[in-house]
Amino acid sequence: MYEVEFKNEFKKALKKIKEYDNIVVFRHQRPDGDAFGSQLGLAFWLKDSFPSKTIHFVGKNSSVYGENVFTKMEEVDDDFFNNKFLAIICDTGNTARIDDERWQKADYKIKFDHHPNDEPYGDLNIVANEIASCSELIADFIFFTGKKYPMSKLSAMYLFDGITTDSGRFLFSSVTSKTHRIAAKLIDIGIIPSYDCFNKLYEKDVDSLIFQKHVLNNMVFTGNGIAYYVLTEKDLKELNIDNERGKEHLSLMSNIKGIEIWFCVTEIVEKNEWRVSIRSKKIDISEVAKKYNGGGHMQASGATLYSLDEMPSLIKDLEELI
Ligand code: AMP
């Protein structure tokens, strides 16, 4: 067995869940596998465990994963949010990134997260910023609630997806024995990781392979421990991908001898900005990300540039960290 760190918070969360007839589960904008996984794993467990309540999950759909991986989001009428409801917000460090502003109308808010708790916006904040994924925290919570509220195969699959993606397939330093124990418990529910998760998560289309070729041909090495690639709107059009997929091949630059920090920059033409995804082997890059209108984890952060003229200064700041 492993230690449950948030016993009191988990008890409070369960009490609040029991109290409300209406519950909405939120997550962050531009969702990744963990945002979807934690949100959907929790939402379907709530639907199974409390059939008399109305449970919804909201946010924009994403082109990054197909509907065979993460189901379509629910479309919920504005009227519903005039009812008294509990908001549970997964995997989102700050309010600006919550997908769907209607969370603000909630009577009570629970934050389940694994980003630095710079903005404890919940009435109840359950934040474990040292763990690899929010899905691990949600699974821990669900297992804590005991046999009375079993987890379905569907919820287990979503949570396993979230743990897999945010831990870099169990590779990152934030993976612990507890991560593996929780993953084992999810497998014991009946999922087959290869069929139910890995094959779907990592299936590639031809566009993705051509995109990969483009990244390999165009990545830049600064000579000072940094690698990056830039995708303009023109590149995206030629590659037949949308800007949400810009960071898809970021990991091609990981695990390279001499490269400590790597990032990609994608033009978001509709917002007149450039979205940056930064990763590092060990160095804390989150403060630099904050300086460029972003934030995130020590070794995985996001930022925004308003012009490519900011690139030399971003590169200089990252080189200084090295
Ligand atoms: P990304 O590069 O978009 O995959 O983001 C890497 C990590 O940083 C994820 O955990 C994001 O949730 C987080 N992140 C990205 N952008 C921001 C931001 N503007 N503010 C706070 N956290 C962010």
Side-chain angles (χ1 to χ4, degrees):
M1 271 302 287
Y2 53 76
E3 214 25 51
V4 174
E5 199 184 329
F6 294 101
K7 275 187 193 150
N8 288 334
E9 290 85 350
F10 284 174
K11 274 188 201 154
K12 266 191 214 159
L14 184 60
K15 189 165 168 266
K16 284 290 163 193
I17 287 169
K18 287 180 181 168
E19 222 172 281
Y20 284 84
D21 292 332
N22 300 305
I23 304 176
V24 186
V25 189
F26 297 78
R27 43 100 184 130
H28 66 74
Q29 299 164 348
R30 298 182 162 268
D32 52 16
D34 188 33
F36 275 130
S38 54
Q39 178 192 34
L40 294 174
L42 178 65
F44 281 97
W45 171 78
L46 287 167
K47 285 175 189 264
D48 295 338
S49 305
F50 304 95
S52 62
K53 297 182 190 292
T54 305
I55 317 280
H56 287 304
F57 50 88
V58 295
K60 288 201 181 74
N61 291 302
S62 156
S63 59
V64 177
Y65 295 101
E67 275 172 38
N68 63 329
V69 186
F70 297 114
T71 192
K72 237 178 148 171
M73 289 291 112
E74 291 181 335
E75 278 174 28
V76 185
D77 237 44
D78 282 347
D79 284 351
F80 177 82
F81 293 85
N82 295 327
N83 297 309
K84 196 171 158 190
F85 75 97
L86 166 70
I88 306 185
I89 301 147
C90 298
D91 196 34
T92 312
N94 52 322
T95 49
R97 296 192 76 226
I98 303 175
D99 197 346
D100 200 320
E101 316 187 316
R102 295 173 296 182
W103 69 273
Q104 296 172 48
K105 296 180 104 179
D107 187 57
Y108 193 89
K109 299 155 196 105
I110 302 177
K111 173 187 190 186
F112 272 106
D113 191 30
H114 74 132
H115 295 91
N117 198 12
D118 293 336
E119 196 186 336
Y121 56 78
D123 297 299
L124 174 61
N125 297 289
I126 307 180
V127 179
N129 74 10
E130 74 286 2
I131 63 169
S133 65
C134 184
S135 296
E136 179 176 327
L137 182 65
I138 296 291
D140 199 13
F141 165 64
I142 295 177
F143 290 134
F144 173 82
T145 63
K147 288 203 177 82
K148 197 171 164 203
Y149 304 106
M151 191 193 294
S152 69
K153 228 182 109 174
L154 185 69
S155 279
M157 187 182 82
Y158 285 138
L159 294 171
F160 198 93
D161 283 340
I163 293 173
T164 303
T165 49
D166 247 29
S167 69
R169 309 184 200 187
F170 299 86
L171 278 181
F172 296 162
S173 57
S174 44
V175 172
T176 63
S177 63
K178 184 167 177 179
T179 314
H180 284 282
R181 285 194 180 94
I182 287 192
K185 287 178 83 161
L186 295 172
I187 295 171
D188 285 343
I189 288 171
I191 59 166
I192 302 172
S194 56
Y195 291 121
D196 293 321
C197 302
F198 301 138
N199 291 358
K200 286 194 250 172
L201 282 171
Y202 299 113
E203 185 182 43
K204 281 196 185 106
D205 54 21
V206 175
D207 284 341
S208 175
L209 270 191
I210 293 170
F211 175 20
Q212 187 168 350
K213 188 168 80 173
H214 176 92
V215 169
L216 285 169
N217 281 331
N218 291 285
M219 61 173 72
V220 179
F221 298 92
T222 68
N224 291 319
I226 292 186
Y228 67 88
Y229 67 82
V230 178
L231 293 167
T232 62
E233 173 67 9
K234 187 170 166 275
D235 296 326
L236 295 170
K237 282 223 166 87
E238 278 170 16
L239 293 166
N240 195 27
I241 53 167
D242 67 21
N243 56 35
E244 280 197 54
R245 291 180 60 182
K247 63 180 176 183
E248 194 167 297
H249 292 303
L250 194 51
S251 65
L252 285 174
M253 299 180 288
S254 67
N255 252 343
I256 299 176
K257 221 178 197 172
I259 300 300
E260 295 304 320
I261 299 175
W262 57 102
F263 65 94
C264 67
V265 182
T266 308
E267 185 169 14
I268 314 290
V269 78
E270 65 275 16
K271 289 194 170 167
N272 208 9
E273 62 187 35
W274 300 77
R275 170 92 199 143
V276 188
S277 281
I278 318 171
R279 304 290 185 265
S280 88
K281 279 182 184 157
K282 282 204 199 96
I283 294 166
D284 183 355
I285 45 162
S286 59
E287 288 305 316
V288 171
K290 276 188 203 160
K291 182 172 166 191
Y292 293 89
N293 318 294
H297 307 282
M298 281 183 2
Q299 280 123 28
S301 285
T304 302
L305 302 181
Y306 296 103
S307 150
L308 279 192
D309 295 344
E310 292 178 81
M311 281 276 286
S313 138
L314 171 67
I315 292 171
K316 186 166 165 281
D317 284 340
L318 293 173
E319 283 179 343
E320 270 169 20
L321 292 179
I322 299 173

